[in-house]
Amino acid sequence: MGGTDTVTRPYTGNRDLASGARPGTRRFVDWIRFLFPGSTNLGIYANRTVRGGQSRSVHATGRACDIGAPREQLAKIIEAIYTYRDELHVEELHDYIGAWIPTEGFGAAYRCDRDTGGILSGWRIYTKNTIGRGGSWTHVELAPDMANDPTLVDQAFTDILTAPKESHETNDPDPDPDPDSVPVKKPSARVRNRATGNTRNT
């Protein structure tokens, strides 16, 4: 669990527009707020275009949510969602302020269709304003099956919370270069554990 057997998954994007927040997305936010006290729901459904663009936002599908938290708490939230991205069927995840991944001021984003497994696979650190410069929150997009079914969300979180902990580190290369970003390299033990304050040898 937790990304060990990750394989590249298709990215849905905005192809399935809806008229409101989907029940599984609402349940996902409920779980995050329960597990990370002090986090807040900053919004799920919004029938709008992406900021600075013409295409519809994934918020218009009811599968995207914005979760706010203080920086230290936000780092823990992003790390947890990324660690269990397969179990939770996460398709996209943003770190606008470098709460978990040190950035160059333009944020970083994970996407499932460039994830080949291994530590930090699927992430891009942006070198220009590509995803929008945000504040202390994360943007999460769920796959349609998870967003549509709160029972799947409940089962996923239950499985995560009752499973034994595993190590998920590999040195797999990231094969999908992007001219507007740089691949994320394996961070030091201090960086990987800054949210908990623990140190670990690599």
Side-chain angles (χ1 to χ4, degrees):
M1 296 184 68
T4 302
D5 301 317
T6 299
V7 294
T8 301
R9 293 178 280 115
Y11 176 67
T12 307
N14 62 2
R15 295 193 297 269
D16 55 342
L17 299 176
S19 59
R22 302 196 192 198
T25 313
R26 290 195 296 266
R27 187 66 59 84
F28 176 88
V29 172
D30 289 343
W31 271 102
I32 295 298
R33 293 184 64 205
F34 169 73
L35 293 171
F36 298 93
S39 60
T40 58
N41 177 10
L42 298 181
I44 298 176
Y45 180 77
N47 186 14
R48 61 170 175 80
T49 59
V50 296
R51 300 187 191 286
Q54 300 298 319
S55 62
R56 303 307 293 176
S57 167
V58 178
H59 281 285
T61 72
R63 294 184 293 100
C65 58
D66 291 335
I67 299 167
R71 189 184 187 99
E72 182 177 342
Q73 184 79 315
L74 183 64
K76 295 177 182 179
I77 292 169
I78 293 171
E79 181 175 30
I81 293 172
Y82 176 68
T83 298
Y84 296 101
R85 59 200 183 276
D86 284 339
E87 290 84 348
L88 297 171
H89 300 198
V90 173
E91 292 194 350
E92 187 147 314
L93 176 64
H94 293 179
D95 183 355
Y96 294 105
I97 59 170
W100 188 58
I101 294 182
T103 70
E104 300 180 15
F106 295 101
Y110 162 83
R111 213 164 83 175
C112 61
D113 60 356
R114 57 184 179 231
D115 186 350
T116 59
I119 187 168
L120 300 183
S121 179
W123 282 93
R124 291 286 181 268
I125 294 175
Y126 291 98
T127 56
K128 66 179 184 180
N129 191 10
T130 302
I131 61 172
R133 304 180 78 168
S136 192
W137 76 82
T138 184
H139 169 90
V140 186
E141 298 174 16
L142 302 178
D145 59 344
M146 189 67 75
N148 289 334
D149 191 346
T151 62
L152 285 180
V153 177
D154 288 342
Q155 188 62 57
F157 276 103
T158 299
D159 289 347
I160 289 166
L161 293 171
T162 57
K165 292 185 177 180
E166 302 174 2
S167 175
H168 313 299
E169 295 187 11
T170 73
N171 291 312
D172 292 347
D174 197 339
D176 183 23
D178 183 333
D180 295 332
S181 65
V182 293
V184 178
K185 296 181 181 179
K186 182 177 178 180
S188 67
R190 182 177 301 278
V191 171
R192 286 204 308 277
N193 293 279
R194 64 190 178 283
T196 62
N198 298 327
T199 57
R200 180 173 60 193
N201 294 326
T202 57

